[in-house]
Amino acid sequence: EDGIRQKQRFEEVTAWEMTNQKTWLMIGIPTVCRKNENYLSSTLSSVVNHLRGVKGVSVVVCVCDTRRECRENIKTNLTRTFLPHIKSGLIHVIETPGKLYTSLSSLKRTFNDSEERVHWRSKQNLDYSYLMQYCANRSDYYLHLEDDVITVPNFIDKIQNYMESVNKPWAMLEFSTLGFIGKFFKSNDVEKLASLLRAFYNEQPCDYLIFFYLKIMLQHDRFFRIPSLFQHKGHFSSMPNLTRNITESFSHFPAFKKRFNSDNPDAKIFTSLSPWMSFKPKFAYSTSDNEMFWSTTPRVGDHYTIIFKTPQRLSRIVVLTGKAHRNFVDFLHGGVLEIGTDVKKIPQTDNACSNLTVVGHFDRGTVDVNVPRSPKPTKCLIIKVTKKQDSWLIIREIAVFIRVGGQ
């Protein structure tokens, strides 16, 4: 009887029309049942708790599971736990129609994915497309989340502050580096993205299609807010029989803090390493928390060069590579640290550090050396890659200490 009452309450609530008043932001959350554990309630609790006192924001939960019993369970749990928020209009609940999935019966395999994975990601594209199509033009902006994340406090204020700091035209801002979590769009553009996901649902995963969307929208840079505002917490994927331990490396969960209170005098950075997304080379030398340089696979001979604006008397240099909270992931397998007392200007290329002395070798991704006294001050230092590796490279901290008294 309790289940019947809950179902009736859901039908009563969802029968109400959404308000005609346009909101500032709609947050879209697609959801399905997972075999071992569901995270939707904790995700909604995190979002709702951090929206207290915030006006002009609504949350749309899209129930995307194809199994009727599972859909009913999700709706019953939502009305039991969040009925006041549903009645107030903060949370809206919609369902994907069954006819949406008729095209999933004959899919072609791409990217050498298994049939099961192709079906899962193709359905995901259709789910996201339906949700976005529903939310398009109902607000000024649209934020896409997944049903297994948690948020930081005051995330709306942080989004608004970051928007104001971006001084270039944009089609998408990103508040997480993971998958499709924390992607932020102008609502009047969302229908275009929905159409792209629907048109190419079988060909590519959603996080690949987003690259093409940005090209079409003439956005050439990626705008990531570091640290991120959302953390992935789900261990069991929405894809059957798949478990994942994926967490946001650059987030408040936990905050990444620089280990050393270093001097790091003003300098220019040059590198032959290729940055990934917005993880810029300068982040390694920055003393700010939550900033690291992440590059694609380094090659033997690649360098990371720091040229000081004024010559320095150095006492100690520390370089840490790899992820902060995971041992020996994306660390430098082999490298040397050199300092130079001269800088050569080379036309049409980077300045080159010269008169070099090797002061340290990397051991398990780390070098920590005391710099010997020298008649000449140091003008530059270089990290050089000396060993082939297949993994990418993170330089998360470079700490430079100046000799007291300049002697």
Side-chain angles (χ1 to χ4, degrees):
E1 291 181 359
D2 181 63
I4 292 173
R5 285 197 296 270
Q6 292 287 349
K7 186 172 184 291
Q8 289 173 341
R9 291 166 93 186
F10 175 83
E11 291 172 346
E12 174 190 348
V13 170
T14 53
W16 295 349
E17 291 292 328
M18 291 183 61
T19 175
N20 291 324
Q21 184 178 357
K22 196 173 184 180
T23 61
W24 180 77
L25 175 67
M26 271 196 165
I27 302 173
I29 304 177
T31 188
V32 296
C33 289
R34 287 168 166 79
K35 183 177 179 180
N36 299 88
E37 187 173 358
N38 287 311
Y39 307 99
L40 178 61
S41 291
S42 60
T43 295
L44 280 176
S45 294
S46 178
V47 171
V48 169
N49 288 339
H50 293 140
L51 286 177
R52 288 177 180 171
V54 177
K55 303 295 184 182
V57 179
S58 59
V59 181
V60 178
V61 177
C62 185
V63 183
C64 304
D65 208 290
T66 56
R67 296 161 294 182
R68 181 175 179 81
E69 181 181 359
C70 182
R71 285 179 180 245
E72 296 305 320
N73 287 338
I74 292 174
K75 292 185 290 184
T76 297
N77 290 334
L78 283 172
T79 52
R80 180 183 294 125
T81 309
F82 298 101
L83 185 62
H85 300 299
I86 295 173
K87 283 190 170 183
S88 72
L90 175 60
I91 296 177
H92 307 280
V93 184
I94 63 173
E95 298 179 78
T96 52
K99 63 182 180 181
L100 181 68
Y101 305 117
T102 55
S103 57
L104 293 177
S105 57
S106 55
L107 298 171
K108 59 185 177 183
R109 291 181 60 188
T110 59
F111 296 99
N112 202 31
D113 283 347
S114 66
E115 290 183 6
E116 184 180 34
R117 184 170 184 84
V118 171
H119 183 277
W120 171 76
R121 60 176 172 80
S122 297
K123 178 184 176 298
Q124 186 179 62
N125 280 338
L126 294 175
D127 293 341
Y128 288 7
S129 174
Y130 184 84
L131 172 58
M132 291 177 183
Q133 186 75 43
Y134 178 83
C135 293
N137 296 309
R138 293 181 183 268
S139 58
D140 295 328
Y141 299 98
Y142 172 79
L143 173 67
H144 190 90
L145 297 181
E146 294 182 5
D147 64 351
D148 54 354
V149 301
I150 55 176
T151 76
V152 302
N154 303 314
F155 72 94
I156 295 296
D157 289 341
K158 292 177 171 64
I159 287 174
Q160 292 173 328
N161 291 338
Y162 184 73
M163 283 177 59
E164 294 173 0
S165 73
V166 177
N167 54 14
K168 295 181 179 180
W170 58 270
M172 178 180 76
L173 304 179
E174 301 180 68
F175 296 96
S176 169
T177 63
L178 298 178
F180 226 83
I181 298 171
K183 304 310 183 221
F184 186 87
F185 307 92
K186 298 168 185 174
S187 186
N188 55 11
D189 289 337
V190 168
E191 194 169 2
K192 301 172 186 176
L193 178 56
S195 298
L196 184 70
L197 293 173
R198 187 169 58 253
F200 298 97
Y201 71 96
N202 184 187
E203 281 74 14
Q204 303 211 32
C206 58
D207 43 354
Y208 286 13
L209 288 172
I210 201 69
F211 287 102
F212 294 97
Y213 172 75
L214 293 179
K215 286 185 178 181
I216 293 169
M217 298 297 290
L218 303 178
Q219 179 176 320
H220 305 296
D221 299 319
R222 301 289 290 269
F223 299 109
F224 287 93
R225 185 194 186 276
I226 304 295
S228 72
L229 303 181
F230 308 99
Q231 176 64 290
H232 180 265
K233 65 186 293 290
H235 178 67
F236 299 100
S237 172
S238 57
M239 180 177 172
N241 303 316
L242 177 65
T243 59
R244 300 179 300 176
N245 287 310
I246 302 174
T247 56
E248 176 67 64
S249 300
F250 302 90
S251 70
H252 293 278
F253 315 96
F256 164 71
K257 293 186 177 296
K258 299 286 175 124
R259 285 178 53 185
F260 298 95
N261 185 21
S262 55
D263 298 308
N264 287 26
D266 289 345
K268 290 186 176 181
I269 310 298
F270 303 94
T271 184
S272 60
L273 297 162
S274 299
W276 181 63
M277 294 191 176
S278 297
F279 302 107
K280 300 177 182 179
K282 66 180 182 180
F283 287 170
Y285 190 65
S286 168
T287 57
S288 300
D289 295 336
N290 302 300
E291 291 189 347
M292 298 186 280
F293 170 45
W294 202 345
S295 87
T296 55
T297 304
R299 299 164 297 180
V300 173
D302 275 338
H303 71 91
Y304 182 102
T305 301
I306 299 173
I307 298 180
F308 301 115
K309 290 188 176 180
T310 57
Q312 303 291 332
R313 299 282 183 179
L314 306 182
S315 62
R316 182 187 178 195
I317 304 171
V318 183
V319 182
L320 306 178
T321 69
K323 289 190 177 180
H325 305 291
R326 297 180 65 184
N327 292 333
F328 311 121
V329 175
D330 292 349
F331 71 102
L332 183 58
H333 292 200
V336 296
L337 175 65
E338 299 176 314
I339 60 174
T341 57
D342 198 7
V343 175
K344 291 183 178 180
K345 292 185 177 181
I346 303 176
Q348 298 180 345
T349 186
D350 297 339
N351 292 339
C353 194
S354 61
N355 291 338
L356 297 170
T357 302
V358 175
V359 292
H361 293 79
F362 281 82
D363 180 21
R364 298 161 73 99
T366 299
V367 65
D368 186 347
V369 296
N370 293 318
V371 180
R373 295 179 183 272
S374 171
K376 293 184 177 182
T378 300
K379 290 187 176 181
C380 51
L381 63 86
I382 299 181
I383 300 166
K384 285 184 180 176
V385 178
T386 59
K387 185 177 180 180
K388 182 181 181 296
Q389 66 184 71
D390 296 324
S391 62
W392 288 12
L393 173 63
I394 290 174
I395 305 177
R396 70 175 188 268
E397 183 168 3
I398 300 173
V400 174
F401 299 88
I402 299 174
R403 196 174 294 279
V404 177
Q407 301 297 320

